[in-house]
Amino acid sequence: MSSEHMQIGEVAARTELSLRTIRHYEETGLVIPSARSQGGFRLYTESDVARLMVIRRMKPLGFTLDEMRALLEATDRLDSGGDLRPEEREDLLDRVRGFEQAARRRVEDLRVQASRAEEFAATLAERLAVSTRS
């Protein structure tokens, strides 16, 4: 096995994703192991790990598997180094910009939810403090 390849266990540790989750992402076509060992074990590269990290970061923001796939396809085409027509390149960049804007909106929504949750927890703590003084 080449030193640039990792088995799924190492990838799981580095990405903090379970083996089952990584296999699910493989089954859905979001990430494909770069190689297989002679024994048939999945082998991943740094590029595969980076791809999984994109997926891991999108998940808590509520992006669907189809949305993840769409973003990855756009970034793959941009990163391919292939000749893209200027309008095609701009279309791909617009797609990525759309995801960036959606991510920012979702982060703000999560901040509002976290703030409300903190207020609720503080209200409960105050209630407990009053109740224990009585």
Side-chain angles (χ1 to χ4, degrees):
M1 173 172 54
S2 167
S3 63
E4 61 203 39
H5 286 103
M6 296 163 267
Q7 289 188 2
I8 194 170
E10 183 180 347
V11 173
R14 290 192 47 199
T15 60
E16 299 178 350
L17 294 169
S18 70
L19 300 176
R20 182 177 180 200
T21 298
I22 294 170
R23 287 184 186 118
H24 173 69
Y25 291 149
E26 179 184 349
E27 290 168 6
T28 60
L30 289 175
V31 66
I32 305 297
S34 292
R36 293 262 181 181
S37 70
Q38 288 182 344
F41 294 105
R42 295 167 175 86
L43 299 175
Y44 298 87
T45 62
E46 288 296 330
S47 177
D48 299 325
V49 170
R51 189 176 186 88
L52 284 165
M53 292 302 292
V54 168
I55 296 165
R56 191 188 93 183
R57 290 177 180 123
M58 291 180 81
K59 183 72 173 148
L61 294 176
F63 287 100
T64 66
L65 293 176
D66 286 338
E67 290 170 324
M68 292 175 192
R69 187 175 295 106
L71 174 62
L72 290 168
E73 287 171 357
T75 57
D76 286 348
R77 288 188 55 211
L78 286 167
D79 294 344
S80 70
D83 291 328
L84 295 173
R85 295 184 323 276
E87 61 274 5
E88 186 178 12
R89 179 176 171 72
E90 193 55 41
D91 178 58
L92 292 169
L93 289 170
D94 282 345
R95 286 189 218 172
V96 174
R97 284 184 197 104
F99 280 104
E100 189 264 344
Q101 291 168 354
R104 288 190 185 280
R105 283 191 305 271
R106 292 174 186 196
V107 165
E108 186 54 37
D109 291 345
L110 287 172
R111 283 190 179 113
V112 169
Q113 287 179 344
S115 175
R116 290 177 182 159
E118 288 171 352
E119 290 171 4
F120 176 64
T123 300
L124 291 176
E126 290 172 18
R127 173 76 168 98
L128 288 171
V130 168
S131 294
T132 57
R133 282 187 242 138
S134 302

